[in-house]
Amino acid sequence: MLFRSPTEAEWEYACRAGTTTAFNFGDDPSEIGQHAWFEDNSDFKYQKVGRKKPNPWGLYDMHGNVWEWCLDQYTEDYSMWQEPVTVNPWNRATQAYPHVARGGSYDDMASRLRSAARRGSSRAWKMQDPQLPKSVWWLSDAPWVGFRLVRPLKVPSADELTKYWTSGVERD
């Protein structure tokens, strides 16, 4: 079985779980504590997954706890994914930074946990990594970043694996 990071569009689709509100549980941020770990309830550290309410599709910690990596290159202009909806939208990475992280973290205020919350990665997230060359996975200065994996319904071909799993810009 093969796994990968979700695209930004896949991540938001899974987070929203069919909803159109600011959060997958509605628009009222006063309810966020029932659904997410954030600055008011996390003791400023990540928490074990599954201790808050899931979204309508049964996925836990889509809001808060840790920002989650996506395959996409980050761009400020997110309007490229607006109507009309594209099929399999993916902003393929062309450089090491910034990549997209979604969902907010234990260190963020409630407004940063919306279903549409996003941020770009930075080289500073691994400044203190003692390995040479620096690891693409060890983010010594960003403990509030994590990941969620997706699995395709059918095993991709070797060409598809190269196209979707390896962008060639993972190292900086």
Side-chain angles (χ1 to χ4, degrees), residues 69 97 123 125-140 170-172:
W69 282 116
Y97 300 101
R123 179 177 275 117
W125 292 5
K126 57 183 177 181
M127 292 287 292
Q128 297 178 61
D129 181 352
Q131 302 178 89
L132 291 175
K134 292 188 182 302
S135 170
V136 297
W137 304 113
W138 186 2
L139 302 176
S140 53
E170 289 81 11
R171 296 198 179 274
D172 61 316

Short mmCIF file of all heavy atoms in Angstrom, two decimals, residues 69 97 123 125-140 170-172:
data_model
loop_
_atom_site.label_atom_id
_atom_site.label_comp_id
_atom_site.label_asym_id
_atom_site.label_seq_id
_atom_site.Cartn_x
_atom_site.Cartn_y
_atom_site.Cartn_z
N TRP A 69 1.06 19.06 6.84
CA TRP A 69 1.70 19.23 5.54
C TRP A 69 0.76 18.88 4.40
O TRP A 69 0.00 17.93 4.48
CB TRP A 69 2.90 18.29 5.41
CG TRP A 69 4.13 18.73 6.10
CD1 TRP A 69 4.75 18.09 7.13
CD2 TRP A 69 4.92 19.89 5.82
NE1 TRP A 69 5.87 18.79 7.50
CE2 TRP A 69 6.00 19.89 6.70
CE3 TRP A 69 4.82 20.93 4.89
CZ2 TRP A 69 6.97 20.88 6.71
CZ3 TRP A 69 5.78 21.92 4.90
CH2 TRP A 69 6.84 21.88 5.79
N TYR A 97 10.69 26.06 -0.65
CA TYR A 97 9.87 26.88 0.25
C TYR A 97 9.09 27.90 -0.55
O TYR A 97 9.59 28.39 -1.56
CB TYR A 97 10.73 27.61 1.28
CG TYR A 97 11.52 26.67 2.13
CD1 TYR A 97 12.86 26.44 1.87
CD2 TYR A 97 10.93 26.00 3.18
CE1 TYR A 97 13.60 25.55 2.64
CE2 TYR A 97 11.65 25.11 3.95
CZ TYR A 97 12.99 24.89 3.68
OH TYR A 97 13.69 24.02 4.43
N ARG A 123 12.21 27.84 5.89
CA ARG A 123 13.48 27.19 6.19
C ARG A 123 13.80 27.28 7.70
O ARG A 123 14.42 26.40 8.27
CB ARG A 123 14.60 27.84 5.37
CG ARG A 123 15.96 27.25 5.63
CD ARG A 123 17.05 27.87 4.75
NE ARG A 123 17.07 27.16 3.48
CZ ARG A 123 16.80 27.72 2.30
NH1 ARG A 123 16.51 29.00 2.21
NH2 ARG A 123 16.84 27.00 1.20
N TRP A 125 12.04 26.65 10.10
CA TRP A 125 11.43 25.57 10.87
C TRP A 125 12.43 24.47 11.22
O TRP A 125 12.16 23.64 12.07
CB TRP A 125 10.25 24.96 10.12
CG TRP A 125 9.07 25.86 9.98
CD1 TRP A 125 8.97 27.17 10.36
CD2 TRP A 125 7.81 25.53 9.41
NE1 TRP A 125 7.73 27.66 10.05
CE2 TRP A 125 7.00 26.68 9.47
CE3 TRP A 125 7.30 24.37 8.84
CZ2 TRP A 125 5.68 26.70 8.99
CZ3 TRP A 125 6.00 24.40 8.37
CH2 TRP A 125 5.21 25.54 8.45
N LYS A 126 13.57 24.43 10.54
CA LYS A 126 14.56 23.38 10.84
C LYS A 126 15.96 23.94 11.02
O LYS A 126 16.96 23.27 10.77
CB LYS A 126 14.53 22.30 9.77
CG LYS A 126 14.77 22.76 8.36
CD LYS A 126 14.63 21.58 7.42
CE LYS A 126 14.79 21.98 6.00
NZ LYS A 126 14.63 20.86 5.11
N MET A 127 16.07 25.15 11.50
CA MET A 127 17.37 25.82 11.66
C MET A 127 18.32 25.05 12.58
O MET A 127 19.51 25.00 12.34
CB MET A 127 17.18 27.24 12.21
CG MET A 127 16.51 28.17 11.21
SD MET A 127 17.57 28.64 9.86
CE MET A 127 18.75 29.64 10.71
N GLN A 128 17.79 24.46 13.64
CA GLN A 128 18.66 23.80 14.61
C GLN A 128 18.88 22.31 14.35
O GLN A 128 19.50 21.64 15.16
CB GLN A 128 18.08 23.98 16.02
CG GLN A 128 18.03 25.43 16.45
CD GLN A 128 17.41 25.58 17.81
OE1 GLN A 128 17.92 25.04 18.79
NE2 GLN A 128 16.29 26.29 17.88
N ASP A 129 18.38 21.81 13.25
CA ASP A 129 18.57 20.41 12.88
C ASP A 129 20.07 20.12 12.84
O ASP A 129 20.80 20.72 12.06
CB ASP A 129 17.93 20.14 11.52
CG ASP A 129 18.05 18.70 11.06
OD1 ASP A 129 18.77 17.91 11.71
OD2 ASP A 129 17.43 18.37 10.05
N PRO A 130 20.57 19.19 13.67
CA PRO A 130 22.02 18.94 13.73
C PRO A 130 22.56 18.07 12.60
O PRO A 130 23.77 17.91 12.47
CB PRO A 130 22.17 18.23 15.07
CG PRO A 130 20.87 17.50 15.24
CD PRO A 130 19.83 18.42 14.64
N GLN A 131 21.67 17.51 11.79
CA GLN A 131 22.13 16.62 10.73
C GLN A 131 22.69 17.42 9.55
O GLN A 131 22.23 18.50 9.25
CB GLN A 131 20.98 15.74 10.23
CG GLN A 131 20.36 14.91 11.34
CD GLN A 131 19.22 14.11 10.83
OE1 GLN A 131 19.43 13.00 10.37
NE2 GLN A 131 18.01 14.66 10.87
N LEU A 132 23.68 16.87 8.89
CA LEU A 132 24.22 17.46 7.66
C LEU A 132 24.23 16.39 6.60
O LEU A 132 24.92 15.38 6.76
CB LEU A 132 25.63 18.01 7.88
CG LEU A 132 25.70 19.24 8.77
CD1 LEU A 132 27.15 19.61 9.02
CD2 LEU A 132 24.96 20.41 8.14
N PRO A 133 23.51 16.50 5.52
CA PRO A 133 22.60 17.62 5.25
C PRO A 133 21.38 17.57 6.15
O PRO A 133 21.06 16.52 6.70
CB PRO A 133 22.22 17.40 3.79
CG PRO A 133 22.34 15.93 3.59
CD PRO A 133 23.48 15.49 4.48
N LYS A 134 20.73 18.71 6.29
CA LYS A 134 19.56 18.79 7.15
C LYS A 134 18.45 17.85 6.64
O LYS A 134 18.29 17.66 5.45
CB LYS A 134 19.05 20.22 7.22
CG LYS A 134 20.03 21.15 7.94
CD LYS A 134 19.42 22.50 8.16
CE LYS A 134 20.38 23.45 8.83
NZ LYS A 134 20.90 23.02 10.10
N SER A 135 17.73 17.27 7.57
CA SER A 135 16.65 16.34 7.24
C SER A 135 15.46 17.06 6.63
O SER A 135 15.15 18.19 7.01
CB SER A 135 16.20 15.62 8.52
OG SER A 135 15.02 14.90 8.29
N VAL A 136 14.79 16.41 5.69
CA VAL A 136 13.55 16.98 5.16
C VAL A 136 12.38 16.71 6.11
O VAL A 136 11.32 17.28 5.95
CB VAL A 136 13.22 16.44 3.75
CG1 VAL A 136 14.29 16.84 2.77
CG2 VAL A 136 13.01 14.95 3.75
N TRP A 137 12.58 15.83 7.08
CA TRP A 137 11.48 15.45 7.97
C TRP A 137 11.61 16.04 9.37
O TRP A 137 10.62 16.20 10.07
CB TRP A 137 11.42 13.92 8.09
CG TRP A 137 11.28 13.28 6.76
CD1 TRP A 137 12.19 12.48 6.13
CD2 TRP A 137 10.19 13.39 5.85
NE1 TRP A 137 11.74 12.10 4.90
CE2 TRP A 137 10.51 12.64 4.70
CE3 TRP A 137 8.98 14.05 5.89
CZ2 TRP A 137 9.65 12.53 3.62
CZ3 TRP A 137 8.13 13.95 4.80
CH2 TRP A 137 8.47 13.19 3.70
N TRP A 138 12.79 16.32 9.84
CA TRP A 138 12.97 16.76 11.21
C TRP A 138 12.85 18.27 11.27
O TRP A 138 13.73 18.99 10.84
CB TRP A 138 14.32 16.31 11.73
CG TRP A 138 14.54 16.60 13.18
CD1 TRP A 138 13.65 17.17 14.06
CD2 TRP A 138 15.72 16.34 13.92
NE1 TRP A 138 14.20 17.27 15.30
CE2 TRP A 138 15.48 16.77 15.25
CE3 TRP A 138 16.94 15.79 13.62
CZ2 TRP A 138 16.43 16.67 16.25
CZ3 TRP A 138 17.88 15.69 14.63
CH2 TRP A 138 17.62 16.11 15.92
N LEU A 139 11.76 18.76 11.83
CA LEU A 139 11.54 20.19 11.95
C LEU A 139 11.80 20.59 13.40
O LEU A 139 10.89 20.81 14.18
CB LEU A 139 10.11 20.55 11.53
CG LEU A 139 9.75 20.15 10.10
CD1 LEU A 139 8.31 20.45 9.81
CD2 LEU A 139 10.67 20.81 9.11
N SER A 140 13.06 20.72 13.74
CA SER A 140 13.47 20.97 15.12
C SER A 140 12.88 22.25 15.69
O SER A 140 12.73 22.36 16.90
CB SER A 140 14.99 21.01 15.20
OG SER A 140 15.51 21.93 14.25
N GLU A 170 12.23 18.50 -2.52
CA GLU A 170 12.09 18.20 -1.11
C GLU A 170 13.29 18.68 -0.29
O GLU A 170 13.16 19.01 0.88
CB GLU A 170 11.91 16.69 -0.89
CG GLU A 170 10.58 16.16 -1.34
CD GLU A 170 10.51 15.90 -2.84
OE1 GLU A 170 11.55 15.93 -3.50
OE2 GLU A 170 9.40 15.69 -3.34
N ARG A 171 14.44 18.73 -0.89
CA ARG A 171 15.64 19.16 -0.16
C ARG A 171 15.99 20.60 -0.51
O ARG A 171 15.73 21.06 -1.61
CB ARG A 171 16.82 18.26 -0.53
CG ARG A 171 16.59 16.83 -0.10
CD ARG A 171 17.91 16.08 -0.07
NE ARG A 171 17.69 14.74 0.37
CZ ARG A 171 17.67 14.37 1.64
NH1 ARG A 171 17.84 15.24 2.57
NH2 ARG A 171 17.46 13.11 1.96
N ASP A 172 16.58 21.27 0.45
CA ASP A 172 17.01 22.64 0.16
C ASP A 172 18.48 22.79 0.48
O ASP A 172 19.12 21.95 1.03
CB ASP A 172 16.20 23.64 0.96
CG ASP A 172 16.34 23.45 2.47
OD1 ASP A 172 16.29 22.28 2.95
OD2 ASP A 172 16.47 24.43 3.15
#
